[in-house]
């Protein structure tokens, strides 16, 4: 049966045109210029994703003569408190320098001193891996490159469902978020690069979109993979950052590595103690916050340097924010505060489980960046695994034929869509509903956690699933897409509460702090908690997987 909606044919479909997605598209076209590569992007790939414009550092680069991939594996394993697969992280570090040099050849600026040395900072427990980058045009460079190479980028389009045939992923259904038009993509392999769940907990400022990470990331990559049967892990790693109050914008590496002072509420200096997000957040929880960054002692040229990074490379909106608050770095100070709770593979450990070929546990499916579990890989992980995924997805695509998109799956999708569009008389707006869902995530999933709270989270999420299809008002395509996003946020909350309940210990303090199991227990819990979709109507399947070690001689 022929589907009665437009279908695009692709060799590789990439879901999400952010850092990992753009890099995957570029690599796929580099190695096989004639293959058809389609990138679906919810926003506009020119400025979408975590790198809205640029970034101040490539956090993990094993620069020859300074650090090695082996040292990175050792160091990151400490940072992950043992819950890290070694081969995946080794692969990332092994290719990181080559990747950085590729960026240099594209014109990305990594400043060097008069001797030609890069600025490399220590932000990991062992070794120096964080290379300063100064490139406000990074995202534009990537977006332009993928388009110039011939990848077909479809902006303002959200992937809504993966389609499988005979156990392998063979395409997806998607829709234009402005017009609501649905279309299918027949693809031989699919790479998920849709970021993490940025809109998870509610930030203190109460704004739905005032979050640290890119607000278009609503866990869609996790949910697409989960519903297609793939294994997920690390959903108990519930991150809270500690950065600029109210705007939730980054500044720590930029300021603390350039001589700024960090003081707590009692004016005690903390910058000499190698502060981390974790130690600052803990100090805040111990009632010695808020911490503040002081710059007034710095010479004018240092202040200008910091301003130029914060106001161009990071986020131009920062300049307006400080102006609005009347903060001048020469006299004022910057107040820090905990952010909302969020899920992310790049900063944390939440993701689709992949091996060192970026393969998920379902045939034809690959994942990279914050959607995947390349533990704490940051931008380097997104770039390297974007490339790795493209290489292996290309090889796979060359070995299989296209398959028809299953008409039954499409029919079920259209049924659900028309039921949703029929909710014209719902009593609650989708914005009010999202606010409540995320407020309850704050109450019951944000650490500290315990069994009682996590059970309450599961109870509420079950109720929200029903209310989403009964009470929420859907007046137009805009509301419809928000219901899909909130549905994914609810799904992520169920996954997070389930994994958090299962891990009956505390680890990665304070991010998985169980007040009823306050200590770390390596004898029981030095393993992954793996989640897969249960039978229809059933819950989440929970299993354990051992940590994957490097084989001797690797
Ligand atoms: C504020 C901030 C500062 C950072 N600073 C640094 C740094 O200095 N150094 C460093 O190494 N790392 C840094 N990181 C981490 C790094 O940027 C991320 O790990 C990396 O960019 C993640 O890339 P990604 O492709 O997975 O996600 P993103 O770049 O966020 O891309 C995901 C894309 O998927 C799209 N999308 C989502 N759902 C769908 C869907 N259903 N259909 C279609 N498209 C979809 C989104 O619109 C988005 O464009 C920072 C992160 C943040 C948030």
């Amino acid at each position: 049966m022929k589907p009665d909606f437009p279908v695009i044919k692709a060799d590789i479909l990439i879901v999400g045109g952010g850092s990992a997605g753009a890099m995957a598209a570029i690599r796929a076209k580099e190695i096989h210029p004639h293959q058809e590569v389609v990138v679906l992007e919810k926003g506009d790939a020119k400025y979408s994703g975590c790198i809205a414009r640029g970034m101040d550092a490539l956090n993990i680069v094993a620069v020859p003569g300074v650090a090695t991939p082996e040292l990175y594996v050792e160091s990151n394993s400490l940072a992950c408190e043992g819950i890290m697969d070694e081969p995946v992280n080794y692969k990332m570090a092994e290719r990181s320098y080559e990747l950085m040099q590729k960026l240099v050849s594209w014109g990305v600026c990594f400043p060097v001193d008069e001797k030609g040395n890069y600025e490399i900072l220590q932000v990991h427990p062992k070794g120096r891996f964080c290379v300063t980058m100064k490139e406000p045009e990074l995202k534009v460079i990537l977006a332009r490159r993928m388009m110039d190479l011939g990848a077909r980028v479809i902006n303002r389009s959200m992937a809504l469902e993966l389609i499988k045939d005979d156990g392998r992923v063979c395409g997806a259904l998607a829709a234009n978020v402005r017009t609501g038009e649905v279309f299918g993509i027949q693809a031989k392999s699919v790479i998920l690069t849709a970021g993490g769940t940025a809109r998870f907990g509610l930030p203190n400022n109460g704004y739905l979109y005032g979050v640290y990470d890119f607000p278009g990331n609503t866990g869609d990559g996790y949910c697409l993979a989960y519903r297609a049967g793939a294994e997920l892990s690390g959903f108990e790693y519930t991150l809270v950052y500690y950065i600029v109050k109210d705007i939730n914008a980054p500044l720590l590496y930029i300021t603390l590595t350039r001589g700024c002072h960090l003081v707590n509420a009692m004016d005690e200096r903390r910058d000499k103690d190698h502060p981390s997000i974790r130690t600052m957040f803990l100090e805040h929880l111990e009632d010695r916050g808020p911490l503040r960054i002081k710059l007034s002692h710095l010479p004018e040229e240092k202040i200008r340097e910091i301003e130029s990074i914060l106001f161009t490379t990071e986020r131009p909106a920062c300049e307006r924010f400080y102006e609005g608050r009347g903060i001048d770095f020469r006299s004022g100070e910057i107040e820090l505060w905990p952010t909302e709770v969020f899920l992310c593979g790049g900063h944390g450990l939440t993701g689709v489980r992949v091996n060192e070929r970026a393969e998920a546990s379902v045939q034809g499916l690959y994942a990279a960046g914050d959607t995947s579990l390349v533990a704490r890989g940051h931008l380097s992980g997104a770039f390297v695994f974007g490339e790795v995924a493209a290489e292996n997805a290309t090889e796979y695509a060359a070995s299989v034929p296209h398959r028809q998109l299953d008409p039954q799956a499409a029919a079920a999708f259209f049924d659900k869509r028309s039921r949703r569009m029929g909710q014209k008389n719902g009593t609650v707006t989708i914005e009010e509903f999202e606010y409540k869902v995320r407020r309850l995530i704050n109450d019951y999933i944000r650490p500290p956690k315990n069994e009682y709270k996590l059970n309450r989270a599961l109870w509420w999420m079950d109720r929200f699933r029903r209310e989403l299809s009964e009470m929420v008002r859907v007046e137009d395509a805009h509301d419809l897409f928000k219901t899909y996003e909130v549905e994914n946020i609810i799904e992520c909350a169920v996954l997070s509460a389930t994994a958090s309940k299962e891990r009956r210990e505390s680890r990665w303090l304070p991010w998985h702090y169980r007040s009823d199991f306050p200590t770390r227990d390596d004898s029981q819990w030095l393993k992954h908690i793996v989640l897969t979709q249960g039978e229809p109507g059933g819950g989440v399947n929970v299993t354990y997987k051992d940590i994957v070690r490097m084989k001797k001689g690797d």
Side-chain angles (χ1 to χ4, degrees):
M1 198 171 85
K2 260 185 92 130
D4 59 355
F5 51 86
V7 175
I8 296 165
K9 261 193 175 178
D11 292 291
I12 302 183
L13 168 65
I14 299 172
V15 176
S19 326
M23 197 54 95
I26 292 168
R27 187 71 187 135
K29 286 305 252 181
E30 277 174 358
I31 50 180
H32 193 338
H34 299 299
Q35 67 179 334
E36 196 61 46
V37 176
V38 169
V39 180
L40 288 180
E41 169 51 51
K42 234 191 220 183
D44 182 333
K46 196 170 161 198
Y47 290 130
S48 67
C50 290
I51 327 176
R53 290 201 69 96
M55 240 159 227
D56 61 285
L58 196 53
N59 285 0
I60 304 142
V61 187
V63 177
V66 176
T68 60
E70 287 78 5
L71 182 63
Y72 176 69
V73 169
E74 189 188 335
S75 188
N76 199 38
S77 180
L78 288 173
C80 299
E81 301 192 7
I83 312 297
M84 183 203 85
D85 289 340
E86 293 175 356
V88 172
N89 283 264
Y90 184 86
K91 169 76 82 186
M92 201 268 287
E94 191 189 27
R95 289 180 57 154
S96 58
Y97 185 68
E98 188 189 325
L99 188 282
M100 178 189 151
Q101 291 310 311
K102 195 169 186 177
L103 294 174
V104 171
S105 75
W106 296 348
V108 175
C109 172
F110 291 88
V112 288
D113 64 16
E114 56 288 351
K115 291 187 186 144
N117 295 320
Y118 297 112
E119 185 180 41
I120 312 175
L121 313 170
Q122 174 158 6
V123 297
H124 291 87
K126 287 184 176 183
R128 287 190 302 134
F129 295 95
C130 180
V131 182
T132 299
M133 176 167 55
K134 205 175 173 198
E135 186 48 75
E137 297 304 324
L138 181 60
K139 190 64 204 298
V140 176
I141 293 174
L142 293 175
R144 193 171 293 146
R145 201 164 186 90
M146 77 173 152
M147 287 185 263
D148 286 352
L149 287 171
R152 180 171 176 189
V153 180
I154 310 180
N155 284 322
R156 310 277 174 214
S157 295
M158 176 177 180
L160 295 165
E161 194 159 309
L162 295 179
I163 306 285
K164 279 169 65 178
D165 183 276
D166 202 18
R168 86 165 163 95
V169 172
C170 63
L173 293 172
N176 181 295
V177 295
R178 293 202 165 151
T179 63
E181 188 197 9
V182 176
F183 56 97
I185 307 98
Q186 252 181 307
K188 295 176 181 172
S189 54
V190 175
I191 304 176
L192 295 175
T193 49
T197 317
R199 268 168 45 223
F200 191 54
L202 197 65
N204 284 342
N205 58 30
Y207 297 128
L208 295 178
Y209 289 73
V211 292
Y212 169 71
D213 201 336
F214 179 63
N217 295 342
T218 46
D220 305 0
Y222 302 143
C223 294
L224 289 167
Y226 177 72
R227 292 180 194 129
E231 291 179 350
L232 308 179
S233 194
F235 274 74
E236 66 277 29
Y237 195 102
T238 41
L239 268 168
V240 175
Y241 256 42
Y242 196 75
I243 40 172
V244 186
K245 182 176 190 306
D246 292 342
I247 190 170
N248 287 342
L251 90 165
L252 294 171
Y253 288 174
I254 302 160
T255 50
L256 294 180
T257 53
R258 288 176 175 80
C260 296
H261 292 168
L262 177 73
V263 295
N264 65 13
M266 286 78 193
D267 267 337
E268 293 157 336
R269 288 260 309 265
R270 286 288 178 260
D271 45 285
K272 297 196 161 135
D273 312 333
H274 300 289
S276 61
I277 300 274
R278 176 188 306 207
T279 56
M280 288 185 261
F281 182 32
L282 282 172
E283 181 144 14
H284 192 99
L285 293 182
E286 286 159 7
D287 298 333
R288 293 197 300 277
L291 279 76
R292 288 157 296 136
I293 300 268
K294 287 192 170 182
L295 306 89
S296 51
H297 59 284
L298 294 178
E300 177 63 19
E301 67 272 17
K302 237 338 147 208
I303 292 187
R304 279 178 195 264
E305 183 188 330
I306 291 169
E307 284 178 337
S308 92
I309 302 173
L310 286 181
F311 301 163
T312 59
T313 306
E314 273 302 341
R315 292 188 197 179
C318 289
E319 187 168 11
R320 294 197 297 279
F321 171 79
Y322 291 115
E323 260 173 33
R325 293 286 158 111
I327 298 171
D328 183 335
F329 293 171
R330 287 147 197 87
S331 50
E333 52 184 36
I334 306 169
E335 188 177 324
L336 309 175
W337 207 263
T339 67
E340 69 288 342
V341 58
F342 65 107
L343 303 170
C344 176
H347 288 102
L349 302 185
T350 308
V352 178
R353 270 173 70 78
V354 291
N355 59 16
E356 60 270 42
R357 292 170 57 84
E359 291 164 333
S361 55
V362 173
Q363 251 194 339
L365 188 64
Y366 299 77
D370 293 355
T371 297
S372 69
L373 178 46
V374 178
R376 294 166 52 91
H378 291 90
L379 193 53
S380 315
F383 284 162
V384 170
F385 265 74
E387 288 206 328
V388 172
E391 289 159 13
N392 294 302
T394 298
E395 192 183 312
Y396 182 78
S399 70
V400 292
H402 271 120
R403 292 276 168 83
Q404 288 300 325
L405 299 181
D406 176 9
Q408 270 184 340
F413 168 82
F414 277 99
D415 270 2
K416 179 173 163 184
R417 183 174 175 275
S418 43
R419 278 199 307 276
R420 281 269 163 89
M421 285 304 280
Q423 291 178 215
K424 301 254 182 281
N425 297 322
T427 50
V428 183
T429 67
I430 184 65
E431 289 80 11
E432 285 169 321
F433 186 71
E434 178 175 342
Y435 186 95
K436 184 162 179 185
V437 168
R438 292 173 58 193
R439 184 172 68 72
L440 270 296
I441 289 175
N442 275 11
D443 287 347
Y444 292 127
I445 301 182
R446 186 186 161 106
K449 315 170 195 175
N450 56 47
E451 178 122 359
Y452 174 83
K453 283 170 131 185
L454 295 166
N455 281 332
R456 295 299 296 153
L458 291 170
W459 184 86
W460 272 105
M461 295 308 141
D462 200 34
R463 174 173 160 164
F464 285 142
R465 273 181 179 144
R466 283 197 309 279
E467 289 180 351
L468 182 61
S469 5
E470 287 166 6
M471 295 173 71
V472 171
R473 187 157 67 244
V474 180
E475 288 184 295
D476 51 25
H478 188 68
D479 288 347
L480 177 71
F481 285 102
K482 290 202 168 173
T483 68
Y484 290 130
E485 292 190 328
V486 176
E487 189 167 41
N488 287 344
I489 296 170
I490 294 170
E491 193 79 75
C492 287
V494 170
L495 295 167
S496 184
T498 305
S500 297
K501 230 179 108 173
E502 189 67 24
R503 189 175 281 286
R504 290 183 294 282
E505 62 152 1
S506 289
R507 193 176 287 267
W508 316 299
L509 289 177
W511 296 317
H512 177 67
Y513 174 55
R514 287 276 308 245
S515 52
D516 45 355
F517 295 98
T519 51
R520 173 171 149 177
D521 179 3
D522 279 353
S523 69
Q524 295 286 329
W525 296 104
L526 201 54
K527 57 193 174 194
H528 297 284
I529 290 173
V530 174
L531 309 176
T532 47
Q533 191 176 33
E535 292 304 311
V540 183
N541 279 338
V542 181
T543 52
Y544 303 139
K545 286 268 161 79
D546 289 338
I547 306 298
V548 186
R549 310 272 176 210
M550 301 284 287
K551 291 195 195 81
K552 288 247 167 348
D554 275 358

